[in-house]
């Protein structure tokens, strides 16, 4: 599962990393992005890749609308192609979710302790995602996304048994336009040797906390 993540990379740097075209949203640093909140994703538009803000938690086009009780923030790589809630988006609406890292919690004798997990060197990551457009009668349109997860690699497994699918820059185009077999081959754990994790304080447990102290390492 991926239930919180961070994104502090400036929009201009994201545009370069993801080869985004067109206008960029005004993005403030985010230290604790939580489900149902708005966050940027990269998708294919008419002029190429574009960076747009969407609601985290997929809202299928056939549903009754957003439901905070069942937000569908993650889709399992093992079943995403077949589950009714995700299969239409998996076939036609892929996106990349920019992130600097994500949080997971490890159970301990005093409760669950949070960790921030990212790449060695701290560069931006690209989570594999799907997006949807929902428009109900008399309601404002909602664009939403989910993050695809897979088995944890060896570095993350002592903390949690799942992790986001992370797409390498060399595979961005395949994720957007590749054959079904080539796309499916990307749904795998990211190499453990490319990642690092450090414990952070339980300050991050509260989604109302969105400040730099969420990322600060603790002993």
């Amino acid at each position: 599962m991926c239930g919180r993540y961070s994104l502090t990379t400036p929009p201009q740097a994201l545009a370069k990393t993801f080869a985004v075209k067109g206008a960029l949203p005004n993005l403030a640093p985010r230290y604790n992005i939580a489900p149902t909140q708005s966050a940027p994703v990269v998708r294919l538009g008419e002029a190429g890749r574009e960076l747009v803000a969407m609601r985290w938690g997929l809202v299928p086009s056939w549903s009754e609308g957003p439901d905070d009780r069942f937000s569908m923030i993650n889709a399992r790589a093992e079943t995403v192609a077949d589950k009714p809630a995700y299969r239409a988006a998996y076939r036609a609406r892929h996106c990349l979710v920019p992130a600097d890292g994500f949080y997971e919690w490890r159970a301990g004798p005093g409760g669950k302790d949070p960790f921030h997990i990212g790449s060695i060197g701290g560069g931006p990551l690209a989570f594999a995602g799907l997006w949807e457009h929902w428009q109900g009668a008399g309601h404002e349109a909602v664009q939403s996304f989910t993050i695809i997860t897979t088995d944890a690699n060896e570095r993350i497994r002592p903390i949690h048994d799942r992790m986001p699918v992370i797409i390498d820059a060399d595979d961005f185009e395949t994720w957007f336009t590749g054959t079904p077999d080539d796309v499916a081959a990307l749904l795998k754990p990211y190499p453990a040797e490319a990642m690092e994790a450090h414990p952070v304080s339980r300050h991050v447990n509260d989604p109302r906390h969105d400040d730099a102290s969420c990322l600060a390492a603790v002993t």
Side-chain angles (χ1 to χ4, degrees):
M1 180 175 178
C2 174
R4 303 280 182 82
Y5 67 98
S6 62
L7 178 63
T8 61
T9 301
Q12 294 77 12
L14 292 178
K16 183 177 181 180
T17 297
F18 292 92
V20 167
K21 307 295 184 184
L24 300 176
N26 184 19
L27 302 175
R30 298 293 310 279
Y31 302 92
N32 190 14
I33 299 173
T36 76
Q37 295 178 354
S38 178
V41 304
V42 178
R43 68 177 179 185
L44 285 185
E46 293 182 359
R49 296 177 195 168
E50 58 184 13
L51 188 66
V52 296
M54 294 188 184
R55 176 190 187 273
W56 184 16
L58 202 73
V59 183
S61 59
W62 44 261
S63 70
E64 295 182 357
D67 185 349
D68 293 345
R69 296 169 299 173
F70 183 62
S71 58
M72 292 195 293
I73 62 170
N74 294 157
R76 293 177 67 91
E78 298 87 342
T79 57
V80 66
D82 301 314
K83 283 226 170 183
Y86 305 113
R87 64 190 178 196
Y90 181 71
R91 291 170 186 162
R93 287 179 292 280
H94 289 191
C95 65
L96 295 169
V97 182
D100 295 332
F102 61 100
Y103 298 98
E104 283 298 355
W105 282 256
R106 183 175 67 188
K112 291 186 176 181
D113 295 315
F115 287 74
H116 186 264
I117 302 162
S119 66
I120 293 178
L125 301 170
F127 298 157
L130 309 174
W131 70 275
E132 274 281 14
H133 177 91
W134 177 88
Q135 177 71 74
H139 294 274
E140 185 177 351
V142 175
Q143 296 196 96
S144 60
F145 71 95
T146 189
I147 295 170
I148 301 176
T149 66
T150 187
D151 290 332
N153 61 32
E154 294 87 350
R155 178 66 53 83
I156 301 186
R157 198 173 299 131
I159 303 171
H160 197 272
D161 63 353
R162 303 289 293 179
M163 66 178 292
V165 172
I166 298 172
I167 306 296
D168 269 327
D170 291 343
D171 295 320
F172 287 174
E173 193 59 31
T174 299
W175 178 244
F176 284 121
T177 64
T179 67
D181 286 345
D182 288 340
V183 166
L186 299 178
L187 302 180
K188 60 186 179 182
Y190 201 64
E193 62 272 15
M195 306 195 76
E196 60 182 1
H198 65 265
V200 296
S201 80
R202 294 181 182 178
H203 179 75
V204 75
N205 290 5
D206 190 333
R208 294 172 297 182
H209 297 160
D210 191 3
D211 54 69
S213 60
C214 291
L215 293 175
V218 300
T219 55

